[in-house]
Amino acid sequence: MKITSSSNISFSAGKVHFYSDFDGTYLPVSQSKINLGINISEMRTYSEKMNNFFENTKDNIDFHITTQRSYDSYKECVKLLRDKKIFLPFPQSLITEGGYKEFFNSKNIFFTCDIFPFKQDIHKVRPSGEAKNKSYNTKLLVEDTLKQNDIIITAGNDKNDKELLNPLKYINLKEFEKKSVNKEFFKKRTSEKLEELKLIYEGKNPKLKQELESIGLLQKIEELPLYSIVVKKASKPISEKLQPIYNTFSIIGKVFVAERGKLDEAVKNIIKIHSNKSKEFKRGLSKISRDFLFEKENTNKNGIVSLITGIILLDCGLFWSLRQNQLKKKNEII
């Protein structure tokens, strides 16, 4: 087995490192339904949309799937998609077994119906002793991502994604606990910490807010180059295990919700939001990405320009017509 040393992710302003869960998130319809021939047309449309999305953002987005599935299970699902002529794009890397193994797409291609781009004997294994959750790979990117004015976007739909989506999991809380006078907050369970932070963001716990501000924790959370997307079924509530994360961090614009099949729209929205915060990040986007991501904005701007131009031309026309009438009257008097 060959162990690779890195995932060959390059860093430069305008880069988006996108890590998505597979079942129920990137794959919006269950494998069993696809196998029965249900929602095939919708899945083909969705796949075309995702191909278009990744093709137009390939200069700025590196895409990774992180799943509880094994290598063989993912491959089996992909073969089914191929048989049903559902050409869902491949990721740049495939992370299996909840973050344990990472396989790399050496060709960095999108879905090809007769080529499986991941080799089972070429992968990287998570070091022994590391926590078994999906946030391992994304945690490694945080510091460099912040320095380079890039961002990380994570997406998931269920309890096995809670570490991946929770901003608190990307912070070394022990460092802040050492600075804190009041240690009580740091002794609490994650769910309790989330509730305390929610109250702070709602302006209901000024004493704790002052404490966490004084040690820099609140600032650290807001500076994280991380945005998360909680995916849910249409007309259904989000996962109970993910609700506290959303309730807390949606207040400060760190966690968003998206319906299944609309993952691309959520990523687009986050990129636009961050572009408004960071001019350097927006400048780093390629022209193709900018034109694609901001197409509605550009269309509106063009419409406004056309409207202004029309008004100017109309004014000029009215002025010329009025001037001609004045001259005609003057000549008649003479």
Side-chain angles (χ1 to χ4, degrees), residues 76-100:
E76 178 188 347
C77 183
V78 167
K79 284 183 177 180
L80 173 62
L81 295 176
R82 179 195 63 192
D83 294 343
K84 299 292 185 180
K85 293 182 170 50
I86 299 168
F87 303 125
L88 192 64
F90 279 120
Q92 185 172 324
S93 78
L94 168 68
I95 304 166
T96 64
E97 301 171 54
Y100 179 55

Side-chain angles (χ1 to χ4, degrees), residues 128-180:
S128 61
E130 289 290 342
K132 294 183 179 181
N133 64 62
K134 293 182 178 182
S135 68
Y136 170 74
N137 298 82
T138 41
K139 278 182 182 178
L140 297 178
L141 298 176
V142 169
E143 290 305 319
D144 281 334
T145 301
L146 184 60
K147 290 175 185 176
Q148 297 293 334
N149 289 292
D150 296 332
I151 59 172
I152 300 166
I153 298 177
T154 62
N157 72 306
D158 214 339
K159 60 183 179 181
N160 61 54
D161 301 307
K162 61 183 181 181
E163 283 83 9
L164 180 70
L165 303 178
N166 187 356
L168 279 187
K169 296 298 180 179
Y170 294 83
I171 295 173
N172 186 350
L173 293 176
K174 290 183 179 179
E175 289 184 3
F176 291 95
E177 184 178 0
K178 290 176 184 177
K179 303 176 189 177
S180 178

Side-chain angles (χ1 to χ4, degrees), residues 40-52:
I40 300 299
S41 176
E42 292 90 334
M43 275 300 299
R44 287 174 182 164
T45 300
Y46 170 74
S47 297
E48 289 173 6
K49 183 175 69 163
M50 296 310 292
N51 269 294
N52 182 53

